[in-house]
Amino acid sequence: MTDDATADVVRGYLLTIASRLQQRVDQISFTICTALVAEIPELCGEDRTFEMLDAGVAANLDTIFQALLHDTPVNQTAVPELATDFARRLARHGVPVNTLVRAYRLGQRQMTEQLFTELHSLQIEPTMQVAVIEAITTFVFEYVDWVSQHLVGAHETEHVQMLEHQNSIRTMRVRDLLSDDTAVAVDTASAAIDYPLHLQHLALIVWHAVDDDLAQLQRFTDGLAAAVGASARPLFAAVDRAGAWIWLPFGSAPGELTAQIRDYTNAQPESLNIAMGALGSGVQGFRRSHRQALRAREAALAAERRPQASRRVLVAATDPAVMAAALLSTGIGEVRGWVSDVLGDLTSATEDDAVLRETLRVFLHRGSTHEAAARELNVSFNDLRSRVERAVARRGRPIEDRAEVELALFVCHWYGSAVLRPA
C-alpha cells in the first residue's frame, strides 16, 4: 500500500472514531471531570462548580472531534471560550497556574484512553493500528499543548489584574488609615486590610530604580517576612509599578531586626532599595513607623544625588543621624510631626511637660548621670529620678532610640511652641 493510500485509510479510521466519540461527548466529559476532581479537588469549590468544569471539558472535546472530522490543523482551531472562562475563574480564586496545566495533562491521558478504547473496538490489522494510534496521540498532544499555552496566558493575565485590583483597594484603605489621626476600631480596620493592627509593626518602603514587576516585590516581601520570623502575613500595598509600602507584624520585639533585614536583602539577586522605620505598637505605631520610613527614604534619596553615593539604598530610621539629615530638608510642620512621633505626649505645651522635657534633655546630655544632671538643674537626686521616670512615662515607651530622643528634645528646646502640641 502506498503512503497516500495508507494516509487515506488512517484518515478514514480517524473520522470513524471522532464521529462515534462526538455522539458521546457528554458521557465522556462527565467521566473525565470525575477523574479530574478526584485527583485535583481544588478544581471545584465555592463558585467553581462541577457543571462549569464539565462545560469547559465538553467544549474542548467537541473542538477536538470537530478538528478531526474536518482535518483542521491544531493551530487553526479556536480555543473554547468556556475553557478560557474557567481558567480565569481559577486565577481569581488563587488556584495556581500549574494546577491548570496538570489538569490538562490528566485530561489528555483520560482522553487518550477513550480514543484507544474506541480504536480497539474496530477490526484493524496491527500495522495500520500503529499508524492510527500515532496519528491520534500526535493530534491530542498538539491540541493540549496548543490550548494550554493560551489558557496559561489567560490565567496569568487574570491573576495579574486581580492582584492589581486587590492592591488598589488595599492601598486605598491603607492610605485612609494613615491619614486619619483619630482613634479607629482595631478589629474592623484589621479585617479591612487583612493585617493584625494590634501587633507591633515595622514599616518599610521598597522600590526599584525603574518600573518592574510588582509580583517580584510581593515575592521578596513574603520571603523577607519568613526570614525574620514575622508573626503573620505582611501587609503589602503597591503605590506604583516600581514600589510598595510594607509592614511586618510581630507579637514581640525581635532582636537585631534591622540587621536581619539588611542581611536578607543583600543576599538577594534583585537590586532593591529599602527604607525602614522603627518598630511601633498598635495603630499609632503602624502610622509612626511608616512616617519614619518615608523620612529615612527622603534622607537617603537626597544623599543618593551625590556622585559618590552607592546605587543601592538600604537605610533605617534608627541609623545614626538619618533622622537629623531627613529633617534638614523639611518644613516646620514636618519637624513638628517628627517630634510628636518621637516624644509622644511629652510634646504637650504645658508647664509640667516643659519641666519634664528639660529634665530629660539635661539628663541625657550628661550621659544619663543622675548626679551631674541634678547639679545642673539644681534639684535633688530623688527629684531628678522622679522627673526622668515621669518623662519616660509621658513619652509612652522606653528610650531605646536615644539619639532620636536627644535630637527631639533639643528641637523642642530650640523651637519651643512651634513644634509642640497645644495644651
Side-chain angles (χ1 to χ4, degrees):
M1 186 179 293
T2 65
D3 290 342
D4 289 343
T6 299
D8 289 341
V9 173
V10 169
R11 172 71 186 146
Y13 283 125
L14 290 178
L15 289 173
T16 300
I17 294 171
S19 178
R20 290 185 179 184
L21 291 178
Q22 190 180 40
Q23 297 174 26
R24 297 191 290 113
V25 164
D26 292 342
Q27 176 191 344
I28 296 171
S29 177
F30 182 84
T31 300
I32 292 176
C33 288
T34 301
L36 289 178
V37 173
E39 289 279 343
I40 315 174
E42 56 267 36
L43 289 176
C44 291
E46 298 181 9
D47 67 340
R48 302 185 309 281
T49 64
F50 185 91
E51 287 76 13
M52 291 179 179
L53 175 63
D54 190 22
V57 172
N60 275 309
L61 292 175
D62 189 63
T63 301
I64 291 173
F65 299 148
Q66 287 292 337
L68 286 171
L69 288 170
H70 297 92
D71 199 20
T72 305
V74 166
N75 61 5
Q76 293 181 21
T77 59
V79 177
E81 191 61 34
L82 287 172
T84 304
D85 288 343
F86 193 79
R88 292 175 179 144
R89 189 178 296 271
L90 291 180
R92 289 195 293 272
H93 287 274
V95 179
V97 70
N98 61 316
T99 299
L100 175 66
V101 174
R102 181 173 176 236
Y104 268 81
R105 295 308 177 196
L106 291 174
Q108 176 185 349
R109 186 182 69 188
Q110 293 288 330
M111 178 61 195
T112 302
E113 291 177 0
Q114 293 287 333
L115 289 166
F116 282 2
T117 298
E118 195 65 35
L119 176 64
H120 291 319
S121 69
L122 302 175
Q123 300 298 319
I124 306 176
E125 61 96 10
T127 302
M128 189 59 65
Q129 190 177 62
V130 170
V132 174
I133 290 174
E134 183 177 306
I136 289 176
T137 54
T138 298
F139 184 88
V140 173
F141 172 83
E142 289 179 351
Y143 177 82
V144 170
D145 184 64
W146 165 259
V147 77
S148 294
Q149 291 181 47
H150 285 78
L151 297 185
V152 164
H155 182 285
E156 291 181 343
T157 299
E158 187 71 21
H159 180 66
V160 169
Q161 292 175 349
M162 179 194 68
L163 287 179
E164 290 179 346
H165 178 68
Q166 290 177 345
N167 275 322
S168 176
I169 293 176
R170 186 183 298 111
T171 300
M172 178 181 65
R173 290 172 175 168
V174 168
R175 287 183 185 275
D176 290 342
L177 182 62
L178 290 171
S179 64
D180 184 7
D181 289 330
T182 62
V184 300
V186 174
D187 290 343
T188 301
S190 295
I193 62 175
D194 192 23
Y195 178 83
L197 287 168
H198 62 281
L199 296 181
Q200 298 186 68
H201 323 283
L202 182 75
L204 297 87
I205 312 295
V206 180
W207 73 99
H208 290 282
V210 295
D211 285 1
D212 208 326
D213 186 3
L214 282 177
Q216 180 196 12
L217 292 182
Q218 181 74 70
R219 290 192 296 271
F220 169 82
T221 302
D222 292 340
L224 174 62
V228 301
S231 300
R233 282 185 57 82
L235 175 60
F236 182 93
V239 291
D240 53 39
R241 292 297 304 172
W245 296 342
I246 295 164
W247 285 262
L248 303 175
F250 298 93
S252 58
E256 304 297 330
L257 181 56
T258 300
Q260 291 181 51
I261 292 174
R262 281 194 167 99
D263 289 344
Y264 179 84
T265 303
N266 285 326
Q268 303 309 304
E270 304 94 346
S271 182
L272 300 178
N273 301 300
I274 297 181
M276 295 172 262
L279 206 64
S281 299
V283 174
Q284 291 306 321
F286 177 89
R287 294 166 172 164
R288 181 172 58 249
S289 187
H290 177 68
R291 289 194 294 266
Q292 291 168 337
L294 287 174
R295 290 168 186 144
R297 180 179 186 270
E298 289 304 313
L301 290 179
E304 281 288 293
R305 287 192 282 271
R306 295 190 298 239
Q308 69 270 26
S310 169
R311 293 183 64 187
R312 167 178 274 186
V313 175
L314 193 50
V315 65
T318 53
D319 292 343
V322 165
M323 282 297 100
L327 294 175
L328 288 175
S329 60
T330 63
I332 194 66
E334 182 67 17
V335 173
R336 185 187 305 113
W338 175 78
V339 168
S340 179
D341 284 345
V342 175
L343 298 181
D345 291 340
L346 194 58
T347 57
S348 178
T350 63
E351 290 186 12
D352 187 53
D353 280 325
V355 171
L356 295 181
R357 284 193 302 272
E358 183 64 10
T359 300
L360 186 58
R361 184 186 71 82
V362 173
F363 173 70
L364 294 176
H365 181 67
R366 291 296 181 181
S368 301
T369 304
H370 289 79
E371 292 81 359
R375 282 195 302 271
E376 181 173 335
L377 293 167
N378 196 26
V379 298
S380 69
F381 179 92
N382 289 335
D383 283 345
L384 178 84
R385 184 172 60 183
S386 175
R387 288 183 187 179
V388 170
E389 290 175 352
R390 287 165 55 203
V392 174
R394 284 287 288 164
R395 186 198 183 212
R397 62 187 189 277
I399 300 178
E400 297 172 345
D401 48 347
R402 178 169 176 155
E404 281 198 356
V405 173
E406 285 196 80
L407 178 59
L409 289 168
F410 174 77
V411 169
C412 290
H413 177 77
W414 186 262
Y415 287 104
S417 61
V419 296
L420 299 178
R421 298 178 184 176

